[in-house]
């Protein structure tokens, strides 16, 4: 398995290196779909330039990276391309190892269930074979590394790649069962962009499942574990925040980074839902809708973790997707992270309802983004509504994709309990509906 | 009113008596003073004569000297007695000056482009201290509205200008008083003031009312605190830029409603004196119009023991030859202003018209009538200029017609202008509405001297500047600024401020480029005509330009007003401020007609996400039982009522 992965990494690095050297990289790094005000490399450079001038980078409204990022690039600015390629490689390898480990567990669980005769007889078609699961980790790595979205994001040197690497390391350490590392990487991811905070629910569920701690509010062991994890998480978050404070000697970065993410003052177009909505918002409703939209991102955690408490890895996938759709400054780099998980759910394909339509819409939108941007910004023959319409469509397609996978996952679970070929009372073939 | 006037004259009388008593001692002092001024005067006139002699045939010399002698006598007389008494000859030179003093002046300079540059200056001096005495209630010549503003808002220095049109430095040379298109306001506050920003906000609102201008649009998003470019022009040593506020409104339109309140600040209003000429229908029918008010503390005398407040009101107009003339190169006061002069302002201690005849020493360029015997020389903007002087306080100036209608009849319009040593231009490069680049070009036309300039750029926050893209090149080489002061913008709070000190090599063009990104604003933040674009105020370039002739560093000496605004500290260079063009930048716009649609559509998409997840979360899979048909259901209801088992 190592050889194909190495080959894949080589191909991925070669493609990126070639693009870095080409004239396209300049063009790509200006694309609003690829870089947001939070992640643009141009703004990192600007922050460094401001530091050189002796001005606090957070005194202006151009730089919104965290202090650790600016210190990282203070030393690595000359090796930025290598850093970003390395971040992609780390993400891919971490996901590869995580999925490999996860598949092993899935397979073991399935074996136990089969031995215990827990599956209905007609469900044998749904049982996953080691042969089809063998290539899934490699496919995950490939989906991440060769996804055009990831490549664009890397070539544009969007710091989204770094955030993805941190989240991937978090997933790896969680799946490997390392509580401390999981908490540390989660706090790092939260520190970088608040939203990964919601991933603590799946992490807790997974780690408890692994340590055979029942999810039961009346049990002391459950609470004890939560306290432990929260202590490690908050402790490392505290250390990181204090470290940033001592690096710059002021708390300026808190409003400039987190206030900027939460209050959405910069309305630069992107692929998300926020920019045009808040550009066109009536001033006195602004705060209300801001709260609604931000709560919307965090809110799904609770019902999803209740529904999926037996399947934390699928919950991670769902959370990543929800974040990347509803976050305030999404870029294609965020999408590529949750899309890398799609091969893990390849066994759900028989239950997907409109995957063809959704993939067509996603492809068409990706092609139309630059076209309509050009028509609006350069040609002047279209207006902002055109670009906005495409972002709407793109987001609807993403929502349909995610909910389709969710549906398929739930349906498979239902079949594994009740049998694949269900019959009505009168014996005729039944159809399954949501009620 | 009459009683008031009586008491005033009584006070004057008492002063008169006092002065008679002290006349013996005073005589000595004034004699000494006159000697000193003569000493100061002499080397210059000698130097001037020498220059003239070198440049011109000896035959011309005589006329020049004769007139120069004639010129010297009135200035001596005037220099000794600055009293506003109507008969200067009769008043003894030692009468103590009244507490305020008013001077008016008009400079007319025929430009090489064939246009005429006219510059009015009105100066009111008042020996009072608004800051020490708590309440100044008695106002004579100084306008009360401005006096109250100074004392209430602890203003140390106030400069405000309203300009319509752009000064074309390459065609017209340097103006006596530079100003950027639109409105410009900069104020130094007293260092005792604590809440500078609050006071600034109030002050702009008050000035907005006084001048009928949109100065109330000055807020934190267009106010900056330059660290080096705007030093106090009056006396005072506080240069902490925390007490300085500078703002421009490049979009401000200047018109009659701004001129009328400006004229009302003059002691004579527009009833008498030079202000009679200020008729708006003619003034605004010009290529360039700029009116300004400058208030600053100045030294009362040479010792500078006490300060007095100086109010300078200036008005600069460039009349376009092709705009109003019928092809004839002929100008007169009546033609320019549709008025002629009949008298000086009665309260003015001096009232003069200067006409720049430096390029016209033999009358080859234009012909001036009525001719005047008085000549004057002044060193202005690094150049020694010669002026014909008309003293309006002398009755002889008005001649038999009792009115003065100056006539300038041009003969030939060609002639090469001395290229201004420093000028600048600016433009926006790039296409599309995403990014752009500001180019500022600064020209040093000096053949062999390089000099440093201070460049000040204040750019609104919605053009996000990237300071790392700043490049300064001259003669194809990188020219690193020796000082950079950069303050990045805060969205909706404050603009970018960039100040830098750049050395301009001799005879070169220095190009400063800076990239920016255009922001998408909220739909309510756009102006009513968003596709017109957004204005970016002029860059300000301040510099000490090497001078060809020695500059006059003695600030207390009587000089024409137009040559004494920027005090020069050294003889070898003079201060120049150059404003570039304001920029007009387009921003991407949202569709203003559909906020409802956008809110509905976006909420629909969010609802699709919420709904589909909600569906999957709350419902469970069930086997679909086919629902019975309508007829069957009705039949079942009837059977239920009958107590029969359903079908």
């Amino acid at each position: 398995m190592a050889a194909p992965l190495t080959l894949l990494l080589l191909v991925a690095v070669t493609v990126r290196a070639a693009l870095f050297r080409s004239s396209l990289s300049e063009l790509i790094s200006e694309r609003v779909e690829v870089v947001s005000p939070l992640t643009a490399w141009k703004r990192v450079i600007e922050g460094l330039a401001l530091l050189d001038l002796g001005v606090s980078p957070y005194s202006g409204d151009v730089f919104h990276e965290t202090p650790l990022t600016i210190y990282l690039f203070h030393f690595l600015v000359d090796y930025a391309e290598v850093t970003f390629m390395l971040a992609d490689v780390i993400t891919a390898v971490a996901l590869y190892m995580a999925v490999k480990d996860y598949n092993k567990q899935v397979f073991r669980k399935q074996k136990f269930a089969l031995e215990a005769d827990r599956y209905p007889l007609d469900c044998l078609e749904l049982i996953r074979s080691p042969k089809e699961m063998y290539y899934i980790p490699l496919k995950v790595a490939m989906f991440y590394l060769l996804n055009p979205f990831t490549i664009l994001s890397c070539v544009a040197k969007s710091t989204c790649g770094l955030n993805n690497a941190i989240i991937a390391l978090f997933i790896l350490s969680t799946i490997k069962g390392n509580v401390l590392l999981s908490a540390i990487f989660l706090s790092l991811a939260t520190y970088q962009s608040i939203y990964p905070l919601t991933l603590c629910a799946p992490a807790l569920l997974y780690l408890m499942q692994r340590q055979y701690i029942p999810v039961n509010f009346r049990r002391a062991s459950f609470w004890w574990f939560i306290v432990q994890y929260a202590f490690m998480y908050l402790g490392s978050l505290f250390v990181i925040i204090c470290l940033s404070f001592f690096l710059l000697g002021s708390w300026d970065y808190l409003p400039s980074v987190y206030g900027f993410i939460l209050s959405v003052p910069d309305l630069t177009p992107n692929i998300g839902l926020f920019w045009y909505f808040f550009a066109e918002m009536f001033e006195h409703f602004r705060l209300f809708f801001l709260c609604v939209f931000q709560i919307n991102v965090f809110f799904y955690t609770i019902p999803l973790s209740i529904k999926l408490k037996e399947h934390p890895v699928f919950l991670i996938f769902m959370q990543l997707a929800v974040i990347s759709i509803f976050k305030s400054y999404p870029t294609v780099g965020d999408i590529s992270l949750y899309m890398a998980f799609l091969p893990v759910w390849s066994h759900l394909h028989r239950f997907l309802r409109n995957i063809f339509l959704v993939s067509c819409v996603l492809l068409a939108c990706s092609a139309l983004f630059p076209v309509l941007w050009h028509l609006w910004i350069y040609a002047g023959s279209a207006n902002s509504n055109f670009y906005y319409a495409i972002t709407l469509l793109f987001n609807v397609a993403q929502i349909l994709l995610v909910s389709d996978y969710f549906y398929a996952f739930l349906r498979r679970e239902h079949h594994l309990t009740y049998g694949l070929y269900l019959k009505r009372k009168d014996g005729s073939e039944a159809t399954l509906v949501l009620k | 009113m009459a009683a008031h006037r009586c008491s005033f004259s009584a006070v004057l009388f008492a002063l008169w008596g006092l002065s008679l008593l002290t006349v013996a001692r005073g005589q000595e002092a004034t004699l000494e003073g006159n000697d000193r001024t003569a000493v100061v005067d002499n080397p210059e006139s000698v130097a001037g004569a020498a220059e003239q002699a070198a440049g011109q045939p000896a035959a011309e010399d005589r006329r020049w000297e004769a007139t120069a002698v004639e010129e010297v006598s009135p200035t001596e007389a005037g220099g000794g007695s600055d009293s506003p008494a109507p008969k200067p000859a009769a008043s003894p030179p030692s009468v103590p000056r009244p507490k305020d003093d008013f001077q008016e002046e008009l400079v007319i300079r025929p430009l090489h482009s064939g246009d005429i540059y006219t510059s009015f200056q009105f100066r009111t001096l008042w020996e009072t201290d608004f800051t020490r005495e708590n309440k100044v209630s008695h106002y004579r010549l100084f306008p009360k509205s401005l006096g109250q503003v100074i004392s209430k808002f602890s203003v140390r220095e106030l400069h405000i200008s309203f300009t319509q049109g752009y000064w074309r430095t390459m065609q017209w040379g340097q103006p006596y008083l530079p100003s950027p298109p639109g409105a410009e306001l900069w104020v130094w506050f007293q260092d005792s003031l604590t809440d500078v920003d609050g006071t600034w906000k109030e002050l702009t609102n008050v000035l907005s009312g006084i001048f009928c201008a949109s100065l109330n649009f000055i807020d934190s998003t267009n106010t900056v605190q330059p660290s080096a470019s705007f030093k106090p022009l009056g006396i005072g040593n506080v240069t902490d830029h925390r007490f300085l506020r500078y703002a421009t409104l490049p979009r401000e339109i200047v018109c009659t409603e701004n001129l009328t309140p400006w004229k009302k600040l003059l002691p004579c209003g527009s009833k008498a004196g030079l202000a009679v000429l200020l008729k708006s229908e003619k003034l605004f029918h010009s290529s360039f119009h700029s009116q300004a008010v400058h208030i600053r503390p100045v030294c009362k005398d040479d010792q500078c023991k006490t300060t007095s407040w100086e109010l300078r009101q200036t008005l600069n107009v460039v009349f376009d030859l092709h705009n109003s003339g019928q092809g004839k190169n002929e100008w007169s006061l009546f033609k320019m202003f549709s008025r002629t002069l009949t008298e000086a302002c009665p309260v003015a201690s001096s009232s003069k018209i200067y006409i720049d005849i430096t390029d016209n020493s033999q009358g080859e360029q234009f012909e001036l009538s009525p001719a005047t015997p008085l000549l004057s020389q002044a060193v202005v903007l690094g150049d020694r200029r010669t002026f014909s002087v008309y003293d309006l306080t002398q009755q002889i100036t008005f001649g038999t017609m009792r009115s003065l209608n100056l006539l300038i009849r041009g003969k030939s319009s060609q002639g090469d202008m001395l290229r201004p040593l420093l000028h600048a231009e600016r433009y926006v490069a790039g296409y599309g509405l995403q990014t752009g680049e500001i180019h500022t070009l600064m020209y040093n036309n000096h053949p062999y001297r390089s000099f440093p300039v201070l460049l000040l750029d204040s750019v609104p926050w919605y053009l996000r500047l990237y300071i790392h893209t700043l490049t300064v090149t001259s003669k194809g080489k990188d020219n690193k600024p020796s000082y950079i002061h950069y303050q990045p913008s805060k969205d909706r709070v404050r603009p970018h401020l960039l100040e830098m000190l750049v050395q301009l090599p001799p005879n070169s063009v220095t190009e400063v480029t800076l990239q920016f990104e255009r922001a998408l604003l909220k739909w309510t933040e756009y102006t009513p005509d968003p596709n017109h674009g957004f204005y970016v105020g002029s860059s300000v370039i301040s510099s000490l330009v090497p001078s060809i002739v020695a500059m006059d560093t003695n600030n207390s000496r009587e000089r024409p007003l137009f040559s004494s605004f920027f005090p020069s500290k050294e003889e070898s260079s003079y201060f120049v401020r150059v404003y570039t063009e304001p920029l007009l930048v387009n921003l991407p716009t949202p569709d203003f007609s559909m906020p409802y649609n956008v809110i509905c559509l976006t909420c629909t998409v969010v609802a699709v996400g919420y709904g589909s997840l909600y569906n999957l979360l709350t419902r469970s899979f069930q086997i679909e039982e086919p629902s019975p048909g309508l007829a069957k259901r009705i039949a079942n209801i009837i059977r239920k009522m009958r107590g029969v088992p359903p079908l």
Side-chain angles (χ1 to χ4, degrees):
Chain A
M1 256 335 261
L5 182 66
T6 318
L7 190 66
L8 174 66
L9 293 179
L10 278 178
V11 170
V13 168
T14 316
V15 169
R16 282 163 173 73
L19 278 173
F20 271 131
R21 293 281 165 275
S22 74
S23 57
L24 280 175
S25 69
E26 191 108 330
L27 182 77
I28 292 169
S29 62
E30 294 275 320
R31 301 296 317 166
V32 286
E33 299 87 8
V34 183
V35 295
S36 71
L38 271 177
T39 61
W41 176 248
K42 203 175 173 187
R43 298 190 182 226
V44 177
I45 297 282
E46 177 72 7
L48 291 171
L50 287 177
L51 266 187
D52 284 348
L53 280 178
V55 181
S56 161
Y58 298 106
S59 63
D61 247 346
V62 166
F63 184 76
H64 304 286
E65 298 285 349
T66 52
L68 285 188
T69 316
I70 196 172
Y71 267 84
L72 174 74
F73 284 112
H74 192 70
F75 301 110
L76 291 180
V77 70
D78 295 332
Y79 311 103
E81 298 175 1
V82 179
T83 312
F84 282 102
M85 286 196 279
L86 201 63
D88 273 9
V89 167
I90 288 173
T91 315
V93 171
L95 287 180
Y96 175 87
M97 289 161 72
V99 169
K100 204 170 176 181
D101 212 58
Y102 171 66
N103 274 346
K104 255 185 224 159
Q105 290 170 38
V106 166
F107 191 69
R108 203 169 56 225
K109 236 183 244 175
Q110 186 178 272
K111 212 171 94 188
F112 287 142
L114 273 177
E115 281 166 4
D117 267 344
R118 229 181 286 151
Y119 292 138
L121 281 179
D122 56 353
C123 280
L124 282 178
E125 292 176 41
L126 296 180
I127 302 300
R128 305 174 70 188
S129 68
K131 198 178 157 198
E132 65 174 42
M133 285 165 80
Y134 182 71
Y135 284 109
I136 284 179
L138 189 66
K139 276 188 204 163
V140 168
M142 198 193 293
F143 252 63
Y144 187 75
L145 281 179
L146 298 185
N147 188 342
F149 288 162
T150 324
I151 295 175
L152 289 178
S153 188
C154 180
V155 172
K157 295 191 236 173
S158 158
T159 53
C160 180
L162 301 183
N163 299 356
N164 284 352
I166 293 170
I167 294 174
L169 286 172
F170 154 73
I171 294 170
L172 175 65
S173 49
T174 310
I175 286 181
K176 291 275 182 194
N178 191 329
V179 184
L180 179 66
L181 275 182
S182 159
I184 289 175
F185 281 119
L186 183 61
S187 63
L188 256 178
T190 315
Y191 168 78
Q192 285 287 61
S193 63
I194 299 182
Y195 295 115
L197 172 67
T198 60
L199 293 176
C200 70
L204 278 170
L205 288 172
Y206 188 88
L207 291 168
M208 282 193 276
Q209 201 181 64
R210 211 184 144 91
Q211 299 185 7
Y212 305 108
I213 300 169
V215 181
N216 188 335
F217 293 108
R218 292 201 199 87
R219 297 286 281 274
S221 59
F222 170 76
W223 288 111
W224 175 236
F225 185 78
I226 287 194
V227 168
Q228 272 183 321
Y229 193 82
F231 179 75
M232 285 186 272
Y233 171 71
L234 293 176
S236 43
L237 196 60
F238 179 75
V239 168
I240 295 168
I241 285 177
C242 287
L243 186 65
S244 330
F245 170 72
F246 289 122
L247 282 178
L248 286 179
S250 80
W251 294 110
D252 282 351
Y253 75 94
L254 288 178
S256 188
V257 178
Y258 306 116
F260 184 78
I261 293 174
L262 292 177
S263 67
V264 202
D266 192 326
L267 302 171
T268 310
N270 56 37
I271 56 171
L273 294 167
F274 278 68
W275 65 276
Y276 206 51
F277 187 68
F278 286 105
E280 295 268 5
M281 179 50 65
F282 298 102
E283 205 49 43
H284 46 286
F285 287 133
R286 194 180 153 79
L287 184 64
F288 168 72
F289 276 105
L290 204 56
C291 296
V292 169
F293 271 50
Q294 295 289 8
I295 290 170
N296 185 44
V297 191
F298 294 97
F299 171 73
Y300 294 112
T301 318
I302 303 161
L304 278 177
S305 16
I306 294 169
K307 188 87 177 178
L308 293 171
K309 69 179 178 203
E310 303 297 324
H311 312 283
V313 177
F314 190 76
L315 181 54
I316 289 182
F317 163 75
M318 286 298 292
Q319 287 291 352
L320 287 177
V322 166
I323 290 172
S324 73
I325 296 168
F326 293 119
K327 76 188 282 192
S328 45
Y329 301 100
T331 59
V332 292
D334 297 300
I335 296 170
S336 66
L337 183 62
Y338 83 80
M339 281 198 169
F341 276 91
L342 294 183
V344 183
W345 322 119
S346 55
H347 56 285
L348 301 179
H349 280 178
R350 61 183 292 162
F351 298 116
L352 290 177
R353 291 171 299 183
N354 38 21
I355 184 72
F356 176 71
L357 178 74
V358 167
S359 12
C360 287
V361 171
L362 283 178
L363 284 176
C365 286
S366 310
L368 280 175
F369 272 130
V371 173
L372 293 178
W373 180 258
H374 182 85
L375 288 185
W376 173 26
I377 295 295
Y378 294 101
S381 53
N383 69 7
S384 47
N385 294 340
F386 288 64
Y387 191 77
Y388 165 66
I390 289 302
T391 63
L392 277 189
L393 199 57
F394 190 71
N395 281 297
V396 169
Q398 282 192 78
I399 288 166
L400 289 181
L401 178 76
V402 172
S403 58
D404 215 14
Y405 268 94
F406 191 27
Y407 169 85
F409 190 85
L410 292 178
R411 180 151 179 192
R412 182 172 176 270
E413 290 305 308
H414 185 266
H415 281 308
L416 283 179
T417 330
Y418 297 101
L420 186 57
Y421 299 105
L422 300 168
K423 297 268 189 315
R424 272 192 220 142
K425 279 177 211 155
D426 56 358
S428 60
E429 208 172 295
T431 48
L432 211 54
V433 290
L434 276 171
K435 270 189 179 162
Chain B
M1 195 62 202
H4 178 238
R5 211 171 277 162
C6 272
S7 66
F8 189 68
S9 51
V11 167
L12 268 186
F13 235 90
L15 287 176
W16 177 276
L18 263 175
S19 65
L20 278 180
L21 280 176
T22 53
V23 83
R25 260 177 296 162
Q27 208 80 47
E28 284 174 23
T30 41
L31 273 176
E32 265 179 35
N34 280 349
D35 277 349
R36 195 186 48 73
T37 45
V39 166
V40 173
D41 261 349
N42 274 340
E44 268 189 17
S45 54
V46 167
E51 266 178 30
Q52 293 282 333
Q56 289 168 2
E60 290 298 313
D61 242 353
R62 203 185 52 80
R63 185 179 72 98
W64 170 261
E65 277 177 352
T67 48
V69 166
E70 267 184 90
E71 153 68 356
V72 166
S73 53
T75 29
E76 263 178 357
S81 65
D82 265 326
S83 63
K87 288 165 279 183
S91 75
S94 61
V95 167
R97 286 206 270 183
K99 284 190 86 180
D100 39 7
D101 172 60
F102 176 69
Q103 287 174 291
E104 56 180 9
E105 183 182 293
L106 165 63
V107 190
I108 299 180
R109 191 167 97 194
L111 298 170
H112 285 273
S113 55
D115 306 326
I116 292 265
Y117 174 37
T118 57
S119 172
F120 291 87
Q121 301 227 6
F122 302 92
R123 180 167 80 156
T124 313
L125 274 173
W126 191 15
E127 286 167 39
T128 185
D129 199 341
F130 289 106
T131 51
R132 229 166 282 156
E133 295 161 41
N134 258 344
K135 207 153 173 70
V136 179
S137 54
H138 182 68
Y139 289 84
R140 193 171 153 262
L141 297 181
F142 203 89
K144 188 173 181 182
S145 54
L146 289 183
Q148 285 174 333
V149 164
I150 294 170
S151 56
K152 175 149 196 288
F153 298 108
S154 310
V155 172
R156 198 155 66 98
E157 219 172 90
L158 185 147
H159 302 269
I160 184 167
S161 76
F162 299 97
T163 307
Q164 187 74 31
Y166 176 69
W167 182 270
R168 299 184 186 99
T169 312
M170 277 314 276
Q171 291 172 33
W172 297 342
Q174 299 285 0
Y176 297 128
L177 271 171
S179 60
E184 183 199 40
L185 174 65
W186 56 287
V187 175
W188 277 93
F189 290 98
Q190 302 283 354
D191 50 359
S192 52
L193 194 65
T194 47
D195 179 20
V196 180
D197 286 310
T199 315
W200 166 249
K201 183 78 205 144
E202 269 183 69
L203 175 66
T204 51
N205 279 290
V206 167
L207 289 176
S208 172
I210 293 178
F211 292 103
C212 286
S214 328
L215 296 175
N216 54 325
F217 284 108
I218 292 176
D219 53 13
S220 65
T221 60
N222 48 22
T223 303
V224 290
Q225 301 173 38
S227 65
S229 294
F230 287 89
K231 290 295 170 203
L233 290 178
I235 54 169
N237 43 15
V238 180
T239 50
D240 184 352
H241 65 274
R242 277 184 299 133
F243 300 104
L244 169 66
R245 292 292 181 279
Y246 172 81
T248 52
L249 294 173
R251 208 183 183 176
E252 181 73 9
I253 309 284
V254 184
C255 203
T256 318
E257 77 268 18
N258 307 111
L259 182 68
T260 312
W262 184 89
K263 278 195 293 194
K264 280 186 181 159
L265 301 175
L266 295 171
C268 292
S270 50
K271 302 286 190 296
L274 291 172
V276 169
L277 301 177
L278 304 176
K279 289 289 165 200
S280 53
E281 72 266 27
K282 283 291 184 185
L283 285 185
F284 291 102
H285 196 71
S286 55
S287 341
F288 177 84
H289 170 97
S290 168
Q291 62 188 66
V293 170
H294 303 275
I295 301 173
R296 58 177 178 178
V298 292
C299 289
K300 196 188 105 185
D301 46 19
D302 304 349
Q303 281 85 37
C304 210
K305 290 234 175 67
T306 50
T307 61
S308 50
W309 284 83
E310 182 197 70
L311 164 69
R312 243 177 224 256
Q313 287 179 258
T314 66
L315 190 137
N316 297 295
V317 186
V318 175
F319 288 100
D320 190 350
L321 169 71
H322 309 288
N323 202 8
S324 55
Q326 294 85 38
K328 271 196 289 179
N329 193 357
E330 195 176 284
W331 292 97
S332 66
L333 285 185
F334 188 76
K335 230 175 162 178
M336 287 191 280
F337 302 105
S338 68
R339 287 289 183 287
T340 55
L341 288 170
T342 51
E343 56 172 345
C345 176
V347 292
S349 63
S350 116
S351 175
K352 283 178 181 159
I353 298 181
Y354 293 85
I355 295 179
D356 191 334
I357 53 158
T358 314
D359 306 323
N360 193 37
S361 46
Q362 289 119 320
E364 71 271 26
Q365 297 267 341
F366 53 83
E367 195 179 298
L368 201 59
S369 73
T372 173
L374 292 182
L375 285 180
S376 164
Q377 268 199 342
V379 180
V380 53
L381 295 168
D383 197 5
R384 190 184 305 280
R385 311 292 295 181
T386 314
F387 296 90
S388 289
V389 184
Y390 294 82
D391 191 349
L392 299 188
T393 51
Q394 309 282 338
Q395 206 53 47
I396 190 144
T397 313
F398 297 103
T400 51
M401 299 289 285
R402 299 206 153 273
S403 84
L404 176 66
N405 184 18
L406 273 175
L407 188 69
I408 301 169
R409 196 175 288 119
K411 285 177 178 166
S412 62
S413 58
Q414 81 266 16
D416 42 331
M417 185 184 67
L418 197 68
R419 293 223 305 172
L421 291 182
L422 172 67
H423 88 111
E425 53 193 47
R426 190 161 69 141
Y427 58 90
V428 171
Y431 68 102
L433 297 176
Q434 192 179 2
T435 55
E437 198 168 41
I438 297 178
H439 287 244
T440 311
L441 302 176
M442 293 182 287
Y443 296 83
N444 175 1
N445 291 330
H446 201 287
Y448 53 86
R449 290 272 307 262
S450 71
F451 54 85
V453 295
L454 261 172
L455 174 69
L456 170 100
D457 251 321
S458 163
V459 179
W461 63 268
Y462 37 79
L463 304 184
R464 299 208 170 86
L465 294 185
Y466 286 96
I467 191 69
H468 72 268
T469 60
L470 175 76
T471 60
V472 184
T473 47
S474 10
K475 292 183 166 172
K477 271 181 288 180
D478 200 31
N479 182 355
K480 200 170 157 44
S482 49
Y483 165 79
I484 295 185
H485 171 74
Y486 178 65
Q487 190 187 39
S489 71
K490 270 264 184 228
D491 283 6
R492 300 172 181 92
V493 176
R494 67 160 195 240
H496 302 268
L497 169 68
L498 174 64
E499 267 186 295
M500 50 189 184
L501 188 66
V502 186
Q503 187 81 18
L504 302 187
N507 205 5
S508 70
V509 188
T510 302
E511 186 172 26
V512 179
T513 64
L514 194 54
Q515 285 175 19
F516 64 88
E517 197 174 276
R518 298 161 208 246
L520 182 76
L521 310 182
K522 295 177 197 166
W523 71 304
T524 47
E525 287 170 336
Y526 286 90
T527 49
D529 50 348
N531 291 311
H532 175 75
F534 287 74
Y535 284 90
V536 180
S538 310
S539 306
V540 188
I541 295 160
S542 321
S543 174
L544 282 174
V545 174
S547 170
I548 300 164
V549 294
M551 291 304 290
D552 198 347
T553 53
N554 187 353
N555 292 325
S556 57
R557 214 169 64 84
E558 280 300 323
R559 280 192 285 164
L561 297 179
F562 60 86
S563 66
S564 64
F565 186 65
F566 292 116
S568 45
K569 299 274 190 321
E570 44 187 307
E571 289 194 339
S572 60
S573 55
Y574 62 101
F575 182 81
V576 166
R577 185 166 283 154
V578 176
Y579 291 94
T580 63
E581 302 91 335
L583 298 176
L584 185 58
V585 182
N586 268 312
L587 296 185
T589 52
D591 186 343
F592 296 99
S593 59
M594 48 180 281
Y596 285 104
N597 302 4
V598 169
I599 292 169
C600 292
L601 288 170
T602 311
C603 286
T604 307
V605 171
V606 174
V608 165
Y610 178 80
S612 52
L613 287 178
Y614 179 83
N615 240 346
L616 292 163
L617 287 166
T618 54
R619 299 188 187 190
S620 59
F621 285 101
Q622 281 174 11
I623 293 165
E624 188 192 35
E625 294 295 336
S627 65
L630 185 66
K632 204 175 173 183
R633 264 189 279 170
I634 294 170
N636 274 342
I637 291 168
I638 296 169
R639 286 173 78 98
K640 203 177 172 185
M641 281 157 59
R642 282 168 56 203
V644 188
L647 280 173

